[in-house]
Amino acid sequence: MKQKIQRFMTGRYGADQLGQLLMGISVVFLFISLFTRLDIFYILALGLMGYEYYRMMSRQIERRYQENQKFMNGRYHLAVKWNKKKEHLKQSKIYHFYKCPSCRQKVRVPKGKGKICITCPKCKTEFIKKS
Ligand SMILES: [Zn+2]
């Protein structure tokens, strides 16, 4: 039996990270449909699962590989964005962020210093803000 499956799977694409995510989402949708009894989630779950099985069985390995690569790139950019946001949130406790009125450059100033004159590091424009 195992050999049969192995022979069946040779030359086919198989599972990847995008596939794992698709499977994960479809399981979540299945659970939602169980608890809410909304058919739409059940249909979506089946659709996603079907699509992932189609990807796993696919012989167009290069194409599936490209799909996964796109997905991995997107995931990476999302993680970078998320980390930036987290860092910004952490810093916003002790810093104020202002945008330079003439060149839109972000400027970081410490909080609680009263009215201060900020000089833009990029275009040297001066503007007054409360910190
Ligand atoms: Zn500026």
Side-chain angles (χ1 to χ4, degrees), residues 87-102:
E87 190 56 32
H88 185 90
L89 210 72
K90 225 167 78 189
Q91 292 203 349
S92 69
K93 280 177 195 152
I94 33 172
Y95 295 105
H96 260 304
F97 291 90
Y98 291 113
K99 265 188 191 151
C100 167
S102 62

Side-chain angles (χ1 to χ4, degrees), residues 100 102-103 105 120 122-123 125:
C100 167
S102 62
C103 73
Q105 164 75 34
C120 170
K122 204 166 153 193
C123 67
T125 303

Side-chain angles (χ1 to χ4, degrees), residues 62-77:
E62 183 58 28
R63 219 151 147 189
R64 301 285 92 80
Y65 177 77
Q66 293 299 340
E67 284 171 2
N68 193 50
Q69 222 41 33
K70 256 188 213 158
F71 162 70
M72 296 290 277
N73 273 342
R75 200 172 72 171
Y76 172 76
H77 285 299

Side-chain angles (χ1 to χ4, degrees), residues 1-9:
M1 188 61 194
K2 209 175 172 187
Q3 262 183 345
K4 257 188 186 167
I5 293 172
Q6 257 173 8
R7 201 172 314 141
F8 179 73
M9 285 309 288

Side-chain angles (χ1 to χ4, degrees), residues 24-34 40-42 44-45 48:
I25 294 173
S26 58
V27 168
V28 171
F29 278 173
L30 269 184
F31 268 103
I32 294 174
S33 79
L34 262 179
I40 182 72
F41 285 106
Y42 187 66
L44 281 173
L48 278 177

Side-chain angles (χ1 to χ4, degrees), residues 4-6 10 13 16 20 22 25 31 38 45 47 53 85 95 99 105 109 113-114 118 120-121 124-127:
K4 257 188 186 167
I5 293 172
Q6 257 173 8
T10 46
Y13 182 66
D16 60 10
Q20 281 168 5
L22 288 174
I25 294 173
F31 268 103
L38 288 172
Y53 274 114
K85 243 196 185 124
Y95 295 105
K99 265 188 191 151
Q105 164 75 34
V109 292
K113 304 271 182 204
I118 303 165
C120 170
K124 309 294 174 207
T125 303
E126 290 185 347
F127 53 103

